[in-house]
Amino acid sequence: ISAAPLGIAEADAQGKIEDANAAFLSLSAKSRRGAMLADMVADGERTAVLKALSNIGASAPGLVAIDATVPGDKARIVQFTFTKLAESEGTVLVFAIDKTESKALEMQLAQGQKMQAVGQLASGIAHDFNNVLTPIIGFADLLLAKMRPTDPAFADVMNIKQNANRAANLVRQLLAFSRRQTLT
């Protein structure tokens, strides 16, 4: 147990640490023999630890798990799992696994999924917008072919075509973003 890579501690029913391995003691400066488990975690999460202890004490043998923040130089997210050591005793066995890196990876994955959804949305909007721009540019070309440069409406139709082409360029950029292409 002392060489286990996860923290293991033995505590009484009130949460006083009676014995712990090195991995458990290294989680916090407040994790030491004789200290209270609830003192290891952030202030707002102490009631969750106490509730988990009371739940495991009042229930049949099983597991109660909570995630809590352990403050320190660098705050860590630790999953505490509580179980009774023996039915007749008031002793609780506590397993502590540092989940900080996996939580960070979960957040990166969620952010990546959001970006993928934004890319798909941008692609859909770009395709729909392109479907609207194509006839505008086409009809502007037809009008310009029938008009003379001296026609009073020629400048207005030319302006419509130029702005539609600028919008089409924006659509190409959106499509490149959604396809994760490098823009030059």
Side-chain angles (χ1 to χ4, degrees):
I1 291 176
S2 62
L6 63 120
I8 303 172
E10 188 179 315
D12 66 14
Q14 288 74 40
K16 182 177 160 186
I17 301 170
E18 295 173 351
D19 197 12
N21 69 353
F24 191 90
L25 296 174
S26 69
L27 288 173
S28 168
K30 295 182 180 180
S31 62
R32 61 189 180 283
R33 291 172 184 88
M36 299 299 287
L37 278 169
D39 292 339
M40 286 178 56
V41 300
D43 292 338
E45 297 171 343
R46 289 183 181 164
T47 55
V49 171
L50 295 173
K51 184 178 177 184
L53 282 167
S54 66
N55 285 347
I56 200 66
S59 66
L63 298 174
V64 175
I66 62 163
D67 287 346
T69 303
V70 175
D73 293 339
K74 183 176 151 187
R76 295 189 270 181
I77 299 170
V78 177
Q79 180 185 47
F80 291 98
T81 305
F82 303 92
T83 187
K84 284 184 182 181
L85 186 57
E87 191 66 41
S88 61
E89 300 177 35
T91 303
V92 175
L93 199 56
V94 182
F95 300 97
I97 301 171
D98 189 347
K99 296 281 190 172
T100 307
E101 288 182 31
S102 64
K103 289 289 184 183
L105 289 173
E106 284 176 21
M107 292 186 67
Q108 286 177 355
L109 176 64
Q111 185 64 25
Q113 288 172 336
K114 286 180 192 175
M115 289 302 292
Q116 183 179 8
V118 167
Q120 289 174 344
L121 179 65
S123 176
I125 291 171
H127 280 294
D128 289 345
F129 199 59
N130 202 29
N131 292 340
V132 172
L133 286 173
T134 301
I136 292 173
I137 293 170
F139 286 122
D141 283 339
L142 288 173
L143 283 172
L144 288 172
K146 293 178 182 178
M147 298 175 104
R148 295 182 183 172
T150 57
D151 195 327
F154 185 85
D156 293 335
V157 174
M158 193 63 158
N159 197 1
I160 290 170
K161 183 180 177 190
Q162 287 172 346
N163 285 314
N165 283 330
R166 284 181 40 215
N169 189 35
L170 288 172
V171 166
R172 278 190 290 280
Q173 289 176 355
L174 273 174
L175 287 172
F177 169 75
S178 69
R179 294 177 187 141
R180 298 183 189 137
Q181 294 174 336
T182 305
L183 296 175
T184 56

